[in-house]
Amino acid sequence: MPIPSDPAGLTTYELDRAHVFHSWSAQKHLDPIVIAGAEGSYLWDADGTRYLDFSSQLVYTNIGHQHPRVVEAIKRQADVLCTIAPAHANDQRSLAAKLIADVAPEGMNKVFFTNGGAEAIENAVRMARLHTGRTKVMSAYRSYHGATATAIQVTGDPRRWPNEFAPAGTVHFFGPFLYRSVFQATTEQEECDRALAHLEQTILFEGPSTIAAIVLETVPGTSGIMPPPPGYLAGVRALCDRFGIVMICDEVMSGFGRTGAWFAIDHYGVTPDLITFAKGVNSGYVPMGGVVLRDEIAATFDDRAYPGGLTYSGHPLAAAAAVETIRAMHDEDVVANAARVGAEVFGPGLRELAERHPSIGDVRGLGLLLAFEMAADRETMQPLPKELNAHSRLVELAYQRGLIIYSRRTRGGIEGDHFLVCPPMIVNAAQIEEILGLLEESLVAFAAEAGLEVA
């Protein structure tokens, strides 16, 4: 990316390169854009170049950047009370918990606040272990649950590998994914039935009495956005009930309207025992995450102290941002907009794009939690050659055209390139058309470089 010519931007860039240690990166090879401001679905760099935020950053600015109601709520709260220890009651924390419980499935009335999604997983697993008296946790291979000690062990994708310093009692299994089925399924029903049979067998071989929890992203996110087939989550719920296992749904990415429902689990008519959340609860304006507890799990700690907590649990500034975010989403019909724009405009537009670009092997998702995967051959699903670096090169070409996208190179099993296409949930049809046009330009440029066919 070009180094800023603006003096203030250049200073920021130089300080970043000298002193900031970035996550998930080889530090010498970084060349970050200096972002100077943002509004709605757009942001701009230090030199004034404007970008469409096609990724909602890391899929969390659900109501867009700098929503005036949320910004004002944070300012108001700062004038009243910037911080308070979690042992005290605070009006914004209490109200945030109520508003979250109001949109959660029935029978989930308590909220434990954390600073983010990984800590939510840490505490959900701890709750499950204490509730059941068991230690093992089961999770899917195609999953990501965070980078803290337990969360990275529960994670299934290869980001786990360099972090496995000590066993954490985690067992991984294959979840359903018809596009790259490990069960040789040809229909969603076959994929569902075989995935559930595989999970049941894994439970039986591991010993049901040793398993505290099954942790699932309701819709797996950075692993490729793979909505489960109808019946799968209900089948997992039945297995959990049968064996006394706690069902944890990770909704850090899919929650708070992203899929066109308040929680993705709402699409499937299932109530888990614990839901983890973060990101969209307040669009990331101030760090916040948490666990929503089913009443039966919460009751475990009625007379028994829960042995966990965080200094900034339910931080007043984060809670105020969550309260106003949820209120704004209700008032502005943001969840319905995500469902409508995803189903009627964006999803169809991406599928039309795939018709013109044979290198797009699959388009999938719900609401505005969408992804496309690239392939060298659509019929065989053979991935693009690794040396093309599609996951990074297409991102660079999109940046050059004013579009920020979020990519991943899948590792473990069949490698491949997929792109998360998740704009803020306030996006309108005209912006979607702009996004699709810029994406097509980027795909055409990439195809020309890589020698790929364009219809």
Side-chain angles (χ1 to χ4, degrees):
M1 304 302 168
I3 294 174
S5 57
D6 173 75
L10 179 59
T11 298
T12 298
Y13 180 88
E14 290 172 343
L15 289 172
D16 179 280
R17 301 312 305 121
H19 300 293
V20 178
F21 192 93
H22 287 261
S23 57
W24 302 114
S25 301
Q27 305 301 305
K28 286 179 65 176
H29 301 280
L30 287 170
D31 189 18
I33 296 176
V34 176
I35 299 300
E39 184 177 4
S41 298
Y42 297 90
L43 40 81
W44 51 91
D45 65 20
D47 292 328
T49 303
R50 192 179 76 154
Y51 301 88
L52 258 168
D53 189 359
F54 198 27
S55 62
S56 298
Q57 294 306 286
L58 298 178
V59 193
Y60 61 75
T61 53
N62 285 10
I63 60 166
H65 295 274
Q66 300 300 114
H67 192 293
R69 286 178 54 174
V70 182
V71 172
E72 181 58 33
I74 296 169
K75 290 178 180 178
R76 282 199 310 271
Q77 184 60 36
D79 284 338
V80 175
L81 183 69
C82 280
T83 189
I84 194 71
H88 304 291
N90 169 256
D91 60 347
Q92 295 302 301
R93 183 188 297 149
S94 300
L95 185 52
K98 178 190 183 301
L99 292 176
I100 292 165
D102 284 348
V103 298
E106 187 175 353
M108 304 190 78
N109 292 297
K110 291 288 184 73
V111 178
F112 176 83
F113 287 111
T114 66
N115 302 316
E119 289 176 343
I121 289 291
E122 294 281 334
N123 283 278
V125 168
R126 184 181 302 175
M127 291 171 184
R129 286 172 168 161
L130 292 167
H131 176 75
T132 62
R134 305 171 183 177
T135 57
K136 284 183 187 173
V137 178
M138 298 183 66
S139 61
Y141 278 111
R142 292 188 180 96
S143 69
Y144 179 74
H145 296 285
T148 50
T150 300
I152 199 67
Q153 302 293 328
V154 175
T155 289
D157 86 14
R159 282 173 283 187
R160 179 185 83 253
W161 300 348
N163 290 291
E164 290 184 305
F165 304 119
T170 300
V171 176
H172 294 97
F173 60 90
F174 291 104
F177 182 32
L178 184 59
Y179 182 68
R180 296 202 180 281
S181 175
V182 299
F183 306 113
Q184 290 78 51
T186 58
T187 67
E188 282 201 330
Q189 188 61 58
E190 285 183 350
E191 184 73 3
C192 177
D193 293 344
R194 295 174 189 183
L196 287 171
H198 159 71
L199 176 57
E200 181 181 11
Q201 285 294 303
T202 306
I203 291 170
L204 292 171
F205 276 110
E206 286 294 328
S209 64
T210 70
I211 300 166
I214 294 176
V215 183
L216 288 170
E217 290 175 277
T218 309
V219 178
T222 56
S223 297
I225 302 184
M226 300 161 286
Y232 180 73
L233 291 174
V236 174
R237 175 74 271 179
L239 288 170
C240 288
D241 290 342
R242 175 180 162 194
F243 294 116
I245 297 169
V246 172
M247 182 179 182
I248 303 174
C249 281
D250 181 341
E251 296 246 3
V252 169
M253 185 172 286
S254 61
F256 291 93
R258 175 54 61 179
T259 65
W262 277 100
F263 287 101
I265 198 70
D266 297 342
H267 294 286
Y268 301 97
V270 172
T271 300
D273 298 299
L274 301 168
I275 295 175
T276 61
F277 67 88
K279 292 184 185 283
V281 67
N282 62 10
S283 282
Y285 284 27
V286 182
M288 172 176 267
V291 185
V292 190
L293 292 78
R294 198 168 184 169
D295 295 346
E296 293 86 344
I297 305 294
T300 299
F301 305 101
D302 281 350
D303 299 302
R304 171 188 183 186
Y306 175 63
L310 303 104
T311 298
Y312 306 120
S313 174
H315 192 282
L317 297 182
V323 167
E324 203 58 37
T325 294
I326 295 169
R327 284 174 167 168
M329 289 174 70
H330 280 298
D331 294 346
E332 298 169 19
D333 217 15
V334 172
V335 179
N337 185 68
R340 181 174 56 253
V341 172
E344 298 176 7
V345 184
F346 205 7
L350 287 169
R351 286 186 282 274
E352 289 176 11
L353 205 59
E355 291 176 4
R356 298 191 293 276
H357 293 269
S359 59
I360 297 179
D362 192 34
V363 174
R364 51 186 180 259
L366 288 170
L368 290 176
L369 185 65
L370 297 166
F372 65 89
E373 183 169 339
M374 301 193 76
D377 186 302
R378 188 177 289 168
E379 296 303 317
T380 65
M381 296 173 290
Q382 178 185 350
L384 289 175
K386 186 176 181 179
E387 56 269 20
L388 290 180
N389 290 316
H391 68 289
S392 59
R393 185 57 184 149
L394 185 59
V395 168
E396 292 171 5
L397 291 166
Y399 269 133
Q400 293 170 14
R401 288 157 177 80
L403 188 65
I404 293 179
I405 58 177
Y406 184 9
S407 69
R408 289 276 298 147
R409 174 77 185 179
T410 307
R411 296 171 57 220
I414 298 174
E415 297 197 1
D417 304 282
H418 64 257
F419 299 82
L420 279 63
V421 286
C422 308
M425 290 158 40
I426 59 169
V427 72
N428 57 43
Q431 290 170 329
I432 292 295
E433 293 303 324
E434 183 181 1
I435 287 168
L436 290 169
L438 294 171
L439 180 58
E440 176 139 45
E441 289 179 19
S442 305
L443 286 164
V444 168
F446 177 72
E449 287 185 0
L452 300 175
E453 178 186 350
V454 177

